[in-house]
Amino acid sequence: MVKHFLSLASFTQHELMDLVEKAQSFSHLLQTPEKIPPLLQHKIIANVFYEPSTRTRCSFEVAAKRLGGEVINFNPENSSVKKGETVYDTLKTLESLGVESLVFRHSDDHILEDLKSAFHLPLINAGAGKHEHPTQGLLDLLTLYQEFGKLQGLKVAVCGDIKHSRVAGSLMVAAKIFGIKIYLCGPDSLRPLSTDSMIEAADFDSTLPEVDAVMMLRIQIERHEGLELDAKTYHHQFGMNQRRQKMMQPHAIIMHPGPFNRGLEISDDMVEHPQSRIFKQMHNGVAARMAILDWAINRKGL
Ligand code: NCD
């Protein structure tokens, strides 16, 4: 059976914990890269990104290379996509070239679900519209697990454009699987309605003293039409800054998937604040993606 990695929802708590622990082992191994077993030797993965990316695409590349694999970075902008080739035909072309896995990002929420049955190599969701971003979900779980030694019972505030965020989408799926309490903060118009008891709307400032982590989110300007945003007002109402950091518990951490807009959803001085784990999340992105590539491509892995 082909092991696609499309949504965290297809995993049980036990399976997902195995992946978090596998990612944790890779994060230890990354301290001495020369000792990492070449689990992807002679394997080629293709990064196929129809939307911009810095962290996800580069960390997949680093992850594959750390495991001894090779990477093709397919760029739709200078490809036959410009001649009208469809997504299906593009992915089928790469499959027929013999690559071992396709890492795929697209603005459509469900395109991979629609295409998956036609493919015989693992498809990895590197960001599906505003739906899910499961590899980010795994690195976020790894970051929380490293910090607190557990996932069950943690409380996480999410603040920003939750409605259009695939990062929040995957975090909410993970929250239901692990029993993490999620507080949805930020502008009403950017908050989805929750139907789950683990996920509830809350006032940002009153939630801050209660939580173990705060996940700040970027306003997804590319998914809005005619959005007028006053940066100063938004930052005052919903931005992470020193005033809000002081309301958090000393053990609580600040997270953000990146890219962040300094001065909008997060002040300059918070990005590398001692309570921030933003760059740690990026670092963990490599270990998480090593675990996912190993899981998807190898029968026997680490
Ligand atoms: C996010 C994405 O592309 O979904 N970034 C990421 O992958 N780390 C978040 C965003 O664009 O706001």
Side-chain angles (χ1 to χ4, degrees), residues 122-134:
L123 302 174
I124 297 177
N125 175 4
K130 47 192 178 354
H131 178 55
E132 263 220 58
H133 191 350

Side-chain angles (χ1 to χ4, degrees), residues 55-56 105 133 136 166-167 218 220 222 257-259:
R55 277 148 286 268
T56 307
R105 170 174 286 191
H133 191 350
Q136 176 75 37
R166 53 197 177 206
V167 174
R218 183 177 69 87
Q220 304 277 300
E222 68 277 35

Side-chain angles (χ1 to χ4, degrees), residues 68-258:
E70 298 197 44
V71 181
I72 293 175
N73 280 300
F74 171 83
N75 178 4
E77 287 303 311
N78 62 10
S79 73
S80 291
V81 170
K82 291 275 159 209
K83 302 177 190 169
E85 193 156 43
T86 63
V87 169
Y88 173 83
D89 290 335
T90 302
L91 295 181
K92 267 289 163 194
T93 300
L94 290 160
E95 179 177 49
S96 38
L97 298 184
V99 302
E100 268 77 18
S101 179
L102 295 173
V103 177
F104 182 75
R105 170 174 286 191
H106 199 278
S107 59
D108 189 292
D109 286 11
H110 300 292
I111 193 166
L112 273 185
E113 284 295 334
D114 298 340
L115 293 179
K116 68 178 181 194
S117 57
F119 288 86
H120 307 289
L121 79 176
L123 302 174
I124 297 177
N125 175 4
K130 47 192 178 354
H131 178 55
E132 263 220 58
H133 191 350
T135 72
Q136 176 75 37
L138 185 66
L139 78 86
D140 290 335
L141 290 175
L142 174 62
T143 307
L144 290 167
Y145 184 64
Q146 286 175 343
E147 198 66 37
F148 302 109
K150 61 166 191 177
L151 295 169
Q152 282 85 352
L154 292 179
K155 295 179 185 170
V156 179
V158 183
C159 185
D161 187 358
I162 306 170
K163 221 178 194 168
H164 300 95
S165 169
R166 53 197 177 206
V167 174
S170 284
L171 185 66
M172 288 191 276
V173 170
K176 290 182 214 166
I177 295 173
F178 282 105
I180 299 170
K181 183 87 192 177
I182 301 282
Y183 298 97
L184 305 176
C185 307
D188 276 342
S189 60
L190 301 180
R191 282 195 286 200
L193 288 175
S194 168
T195 49
D196 192 279
S197 61
M198 291 312 289
I199 299 168
E200 65 179 57
D203 173 69
F204 193 30
D205 283 356
S206 11
T207 304
L208 286 169
E210 308 293 324
V211 295
D212 302 297
V214 180
M215 173 77 85
M216 301 305 299
L217 296 174
R218 183 177 69 87
I219 303 287
Q220 304 277 300
I221 32 177
E222 68 277 35
R223 302 186 210 286
H224 291 266
E225 251 177 59
L227 179 77
E228 283 189 30
L229 196 66
D230 177 53
K232 226 173 152 183
T233 310
Y234 184 86
H235 183 76
H236 178 72
Q237 288 183 306
F238 303 112
M240 177 52 68
N241 50 33
Q242 201 184 47
R243 179 176 77 79
R244 293 201 164 96
Q245 170 265 319
K246 285 193 190 314
M247 293 162 76
M248 294 165 60
Q249 303 179 70
H251 77 265
I253 59 170
I254 298 167
M255 300 170 75
H256 192 309

